[in-house]
Amino acid sequence: MNEINEIKKACESMKSAVNTAFDRLILLLGSKDATGLPMEYVYLFTANTHIFIGTKPAAVLFGEERAEADNWRKIFAAIMSKCNSDAQCHENLMYLLDKISGRDRILLSRSPDSMRRPLRIDEDMYAEVSYGTATLLYILRDRILAPANFDYSGISIVLKI
């Protein structure tokens, strides 16, 4: 049953991506019909991270709660903050410190020393955020949040046009 829900989510995400692409094309062509188009689009955080490449974020949605974020590092920080605010997830994140690494650097650590661009999440908790959009979101979702057992299915990303 979970697979069916994932397929439905992926289908909605793909429909949204196609609609966005055509809406942008209409805007670029300067059509008079473009004036009624929304200035923001919402994508599920579970979508393929590559659809976010070349886009500008406006906010992150946690259900109905909106947190403004005008760059990808702020999106990362807002989602990590939400995860860290849950007591069980905080414990899971603390356990993961210095155990999750990329090819060259630690991704989640007690110390910012070996990081190129550290982001302070909490006391003695730093994340490496020196990556492109797709990689940064993949690391957040699949390398940090999933092992921390954080339910990110209700999170959406708001993009600016």
Side-chain angles (χ1 to χ4, degrees), residues 36-97:
L37 295 175
M39 297 309 292
E40 295 182 338
Y41 286 93
V42 178
Y43 289 91
L44 294 173
F45 183 56
T46 55
N48 185 322
T49 59
H50 287 87
I51 67 168
F52 298 110
I53 294 173
T55 62
K56 300 286 183 197
V60 60
L61 298 175
F62 302 100
E64 297 297 316
E65 178 188 342
R66 181 179 172 120
E68 300 297 322
D70 61 359
N71 65 52
W72 292 109
R73 287 168 186 84
K74 289 179 183 176
I75 294 285
F76 188 103
I79 294 172
M80 280 297 293
S81 177
K82 190 69 150 180
C83 175
N84 194 46
S85 68
D86 177 270
Q88 183 59 52
C89 288
H90 172 77
E91 289 301 317
N92 295 343
L93 288 172
M94 294 303 288
Y95 172 78
L96 293 170
L97 290 177

Side-chain angles (χ1 to χ4, degrees), residues 70-74 76-77 105-109 111-121 125-133 136 139 144:
D70 61 359
N71 65 52
W72 292 109
R73 287 168 186 84
K74 289 179 183 176
F76 188 103
R105 297 183 302 278
I106 293 288
L107 302 176
L108 192 64
S109 180
S111 168
D113 294 341
S114 65
M115 296 182 175
R116 212 179 269 168
R117 189 162 187 190
L119 173 69
R120 186 174 189 267
I121 306 301
M125 186 185 305
Y126 297 86
E128 175 63 80
V129 294
S130 181
Y131 294 98
T133 303
L136 184 67
I139 287 168
I144 297 174

